[in-house]
Structures are given as C-alpha cells and as structure tokens.
Amino acid sequence: MARNQSALVQWSQYLPLRAFASVVDCLPMSFNMHAGKCVGDVLYMLDRRHRERAMNNIRLSFPEYSEQQVRSLAKQSMEYMFQLFTAEAVKMPSLVTPTTIDKYISFKGLEYVTERLVNKQPTIFITGHCGNWELLGYALSVLGYPIAALARPLDNPLINDYVLKIRQRYGLQIVTKWGGVPILQELIGQNVNVGFIADQNAGHRGMFVPFFGRLASTYKSIGLLAMRYNIPIAAVHARRIGSQFKYEVTSTDFITPEEWQEHEDPLYYITARYNHAIETMIRSAPEQYLWLHRRWKSRPSYEEKGKPMPKKVISQLESLPWLTDDDLARLIEC
C-alpha cells in the first residue's frame, strides 16, 4: 500500500515535478524526446542494478540473442522508458484532444472492439508495460467512450491528485488498486468498459502461466470478472511508430466467452491466453517493453522447493493450443 509521507516531503517532490512539467510543456516535442533518450542513456550507464535486471530478463526471454543484442535492447528499453515518462506523459494531454487525436494515433484491427463500444456493451481491456499503456484508456475517453482503469495510487497524494486530474480530463475513471474489484463489478453492471495493466507480478497466490518461456504469477481477477459477467477480453497495444509521438493502436487478441466456456479449466485458459497476447505485443516492439520490471519475481512453490513440475501443471500447459512441443519442454525444464 501507499506509504505515509510528511507534508514537507510531499511538497518537496510535488513542486519540482510541476516546475519540470511546465518546462517540458513549453518545449518542442522533438527536443523533449531527445532529452528523454539522453536521460535513458545515462541511466543505462550508471544504474547497474536496473541495467543488469533488464539484461537478465532479456537473456531469459530471448535465449537466441547475442550478448551485444541483449545490451542494445536493454539500452533502447531504458531510452524509451524515459521518453515515455519525461516527455510523452507530460505532453500527451495538450497534444491528444478530440480534434487532434487522428494526428497522433491510428487504429487498426479493432472491428470487434469498435462494435461493442458503439453498442455500449462492456469489454475488459488489457495491456502490458509495453508501448504507451497510459495512452490506451486516455484515447478511449477522448473519443467519448466510458472506461475505468485499475491503478495503484502514488505514494505522494499531491502528485497522485495531479496525475489523476490529467488522466481523468476526458472522463477516464481511475479506480484504486486497493479494494477496487467491487467497484469495477458495479461499473461493468452499468455497461462501463474496464481496463487493466495485466502483466504485474501477483505473488505466491497468483496463477502461474507461461510468459516468454517461463511461468509468471498473474492475477486471477481479470479472468474471474470475464467469467462472472460473460464479457470478452480485448488485448490492446499502443505501439510507437518511429521516433516521434505517433502511435498505432491494435488488438493482438479478442477472447470471447464462447472460446473459454468449453475449456476444462476456463480461468487458466483465459489467464494464459491474455498473457500470450501481451507477449505478442512485446515481440512486435521489444524495445518498448519495461524490461527492468520484476515480472518473474514470484516462483511456483514446487520450484522453490527444488521439486519437478507437478503432472497437473504439465496437463494445464498441454491444454494450451498455441504452445509447441519445444515451448512445453522449455517450461518443464525451467
């Protein structure tokens, strides 16, 4: 949960942030993007702990990569991250408006999603820490479609209120992560779309499903919501095109109730499938993923005890039609 901070600490963080945001907002976007890239380069050189974490995640996710490719991708990822945080997050509200959205964002392969939006049928949207995850809910709200997103509140309430005001400018509703599921249930009942950043580590009580050749702990709440309300899950990705602030929003999967209802373990199938969709997003632009993210922090209990993978887990993996024999062998060996 969010930590308590003194008023002095809160204001000492908030005022410099507002000053920084004011400066960034006055500067050309091209300059801000270049500056963000430079900050990322500095972080890559100086922050050994995060650099090594990112490189280790890349090595394990792309075992075919050379060491030079691993280093290059880690560096690009850190550059992108700081461009996202220091330039795009600040400039997005002034750039993306109802009259300018077509200039910066193109939409492709969203026919099923569009149909539900037009007919005011709720959909669960998921994405990962790839591309511009903040842009997705914001863009839908700019277009006039109601959506609520689950998010962790920031530790500093002054900064949290400032960020919320930006996010909610056009109607995006932010629901706090702590105890937010009942609120989302109520909103779905009101035909409001809901969104999740779905690649966060869920701890030892999460459901372990495949993600880049390793099992990753994933929250069960998304699948449970979809099953309870019998609504589809749209895996949507905002991928930057080129080096400027231009994005293409696409859907890498659209999971319907009919596809999971006949499955022996529907919750496992849903959870594994949308993780597979997020992996597809990342593979399309791996330099735009937050590789220093601790996605694989929690491990299955049998693995921590040095025991082999249980037959039940192997059976669950074998039920996933997209996994090849090589994929299965790699997961079992890990």
Side-chain angles (χ1 to χ4, degrees):
M1 297 183 68
R3 297 187 298 269
N4 291 325
Q5 296 179 327
S6 69
L8 179 61
V9 171
Q10 292 173 17
W11 283 99
S12 67
Q13 295 173 344
Y14 173 72
L15 292 176
L17 173 65
R18 290 304 305 268
F20 171 78
S22 298
V23 172
V24 169
D25 209 28
C26 294
L27 294 171
M29 190 59 169
S30 58
F31 177 87
N32 293 332
M33 295 290 276
H34 178 71
K37 181 177 182 294
C38 291
V39 174
D41 289 341
V42 172
L43 174 72
Y44 176 80
M45 290 186 292
L46 300 181
D47 190 343
R48 179 178 179 181
R49 181 167 66 93
H50 287 100
R51 180 179 70 242
E52 291 297 330
R53 181 190 298 168
M55 290 173 58
N56 187 57
N57 283 334
I58 293 168
R59 288 189 194 100
L60 293 173
S61 299
F62 296 98
E64 71 277 13
Y65 276 18
S66 67
E67 192 63 15
Q68 182 178 356
Q69 288 175 304
V70 169
R71 291 181 177 276
S72 176
L73 182 53
K75 183 172 179 286
Q76 291 177 66
S77 173
M78 292 187 179
E79 291 171 351
Y80 177 84
M81 179 182 68
F82 272 88
Q83 288 177 322
L84 183 68
F85 293 162
T86 63
E88 296 187 1
V90 175
K91 295 282 282 187
M92 184 174 68
S94 60
L95 293 177
V96 182
T97 68
T99 57
T100 63
I101 188 170
D102 291 341
K103 181 179 178 181
Y104 300 105
I105 306 173
S106 61
F107 299 88
K108 182 179 179 181
L110 298 172
E111 292 80 12
Y112 293 121
V113 173
T114 302
E115 182 180 350
R116 291 189 66 85
L117 290 173
V118 171
N119 293 327
K120 297 182 178 180
Q121 298 172 307
T123 301
I124 295 175
F125 289 90
I126 65 99
T127 191
H129 286 91
C130 50
N132 191 330
W133 56 89
E134 291 282 351
L135 184 64
L136 293 171
Y138 186 84
L140 282 178
S141 65
V142 168
L143 292 171
Y145 297 111
I147 182 169
L150 194 69
R152 178 190 181 278
L154 301 177
D155 293 332
N156 187 318
L158 295 173
I159 297 177
N160 188 66
D161 291 345
Y162 167 63
V163 172
L164 284 180
K165 184 178 179 180
I166 294 174
R167 287 172 165 177
Q168 298 178 151
R169 177 172 296 183
Y170 291 102
L172 172 64
Q173 182 175 345
I174 303 298
V175 178
T176 180
K177 184 177 179 180
W178 317 122
V181 172
I183 298 175
L184 294 180
Q185 292 174 338
E186 181 179 344
L187 291 171
I188 290 173
Q190 299 171 5
N191 293 328
V192 175
N193 304 290
V194 298
F196 296 85
I197 299 175
D199 64 339
Q200 301 190 50
N201 178 63
H204 288 90
R205 292 196 290 180
M207 178 169 284
F208 286 88
V209 297
F211 192 66
F212 277 98
R214 289 172 285 165
L215 295 180
S217 177
T218 307
Y219 286 104
K220 304 173 186 177
S221 53
I222 296 172
L224 291 172
L225 277 175
M227 292 167 61
R228 178 172 180 176
Y229 293 95
N230 208 39
I231 57 177
I233 297 173
V236 184
H237 181 207
R239 180 170 61 92
R240 185 200 289 167
I241 305 301
S243 58
Q244 299 302 309
F245 183 73
K246 289 200 174 185
Y247 278 86
E248 180 181 78
V249 176
T250 59
S251 176
T252 55
D253 202 356
F254 190 77
I255 312 170
T256 64
E258 294 76 18
E259 294 175 285
W260 72 66
Q261 285 170 348
E262 300 300 321
H263 200 276
E264 184 177 346
D265 190 342
L267 180 58
Y268 186 84
Y269 175 82
I270 294 169
T271 308
R273 182 163 162 182
Y274 76 67
N275 270 269
H276 178 61
I278 295 174
E279 182 176 329
T280 301
M281 298 176 193
I282 297 166
R283 288 184 182 277
S284 72
E287 75 283 358
Q288 296 179 27
Y289 185 58
L290 195 63
W291 285 108
L292 53 79
H293 179 47
R294 301 182 72 184
R295 181 67 185 95
W296 296 271
K297 176 183 177 182
S298 299
R299 307 310 310 146
S301 59
Y302 67 84
E303 185 178 310
E304 291 182 330
K305 297 174 183 177
K307 295 182 178 180
M309 182 179 287
K311 292 182 179 180
K312 179 182 178 181
V313 177
I314 296 176
S315 178
Q316 287 177 316
L317 293 172
E318 290 175 339
S319 72
L320 303 177
W322 57 86
L323 291 184
T324 66
D325 291 341
D326 289 341
D327 293 333
L328 286 168
R330 182 182 173 190
L331 286 161
I332 293 172
E333 289 172 2
C334 285

